[in-house]
Amino acid sequence: FQAAINGQLRGHLGSPMWAALVSFAVGISAIALALLVQRAPLPTNLSAVPVWQWLGGGLLGASYIVLSIMLPPKLGVALTFGLIVAGQLSMSLLLDHYGLLGFAQHAINPWRALGAALIVAGVVLIRKF
């Protein structure tokens, strides 16, 4: 639904970047309201957060939203999100296998590789048919 709604928003606003900005602004407002309702305390050790963590999640999130607005009209929703899931799963397997970014190590084995291959095969079938 999010891709379809943001795609329609893009049509009204004339730009995927404006649609992404509106999407993020509404999301930020909703999160800020939830924090106020929860009376969540302000974080106390902000200076300890590495710069790459401040920027990484936000830049990746923005890229995801913009691509999920731009690609469905060209590729279709199923292929776009099939590619997203296949990409996320591939990266997840690498993060698990090497224990990157503080995740516990879980080696790639034949069953995990087969699961990933089946998802990629599904994307190929969606693309072909």
Side-chain angles (χ1 to χ4, degrees), residues 1 6 11-12 15-16 18 30 42 52 68 71 76 84 87 100 102-103 108 111 114 116 129:
F1 288 113
N6 283 338
H12 290 290
S15 162
W18 277 110
L42 290 172
W52 70 269
S68 73
L71 293 179
I84 288 169
L100 300 173
F103 287 105
I108 294 175
W111 294 111
L114 177 61
F129 301 105

Side-chain angles (χ1 to χ4, degrees), residues 82-107:
L83 289 166
I84 288 169
V85 169
Q88 288 177 331
L89 180 63
S90 299
M91 183 54 68
S92 297
L93 286 172
L94 290 174
L95 290 171
D96 273 356
H97 184 74
Y98 294 106
L100 300 173
L101 298 176
F103 287 105
Q105 200 166 0
H106 300 280

Side-chain angles (χ1 to χ4, degrees), residues 117-128:
L118 288 172
I119 288 178
V120 171
V123 171
V124 169
L125 289 173
I126 289 169
R127 171 69 175 106
K128 187 167 178 108

Side-chain angles (χ1 to χ4, degrees), residues 10 16 19-20 30 38 55 63 70 84 91 93 122:
R10 171 193 185 179
Q38 293 174 1
L55 298 176
S63 299
M70 293 175 68
I84 288 169
M91 183 54 68
L93 286 172

Side-chain angles (χ1 to χ4, degrees), residues 14-85:
S15 162
M17 299 302 279
W18 277 110
L21 180 68
V22 169
S23 180
F24 268 95
V26 171
I28 287 169
S29 299
I31 292 168
L33 180 62
L35 287 169
L36 286 172
V37 168
Q38 293 174 1
R39 297 178 186 220
L42 290 172
T44 57
N45 201 8
L46 296 177
S47 62
V49 178
V51 172
W52 70 269
Q53 289 177 353
W54 284 106
L55 298 176
L59 292 174
L60 290 171
S63 299
Y64 170 80
I65 292 295
V66 170
L67 287 172
S68 73
I69 292 169
M70 293 175 68
L71 293 179
K74 296 175 182 168
L75 302 178
V77 177
L79 181 57
T80 296
F81 285 93
L83 289 166
I84 288 169
V85 169

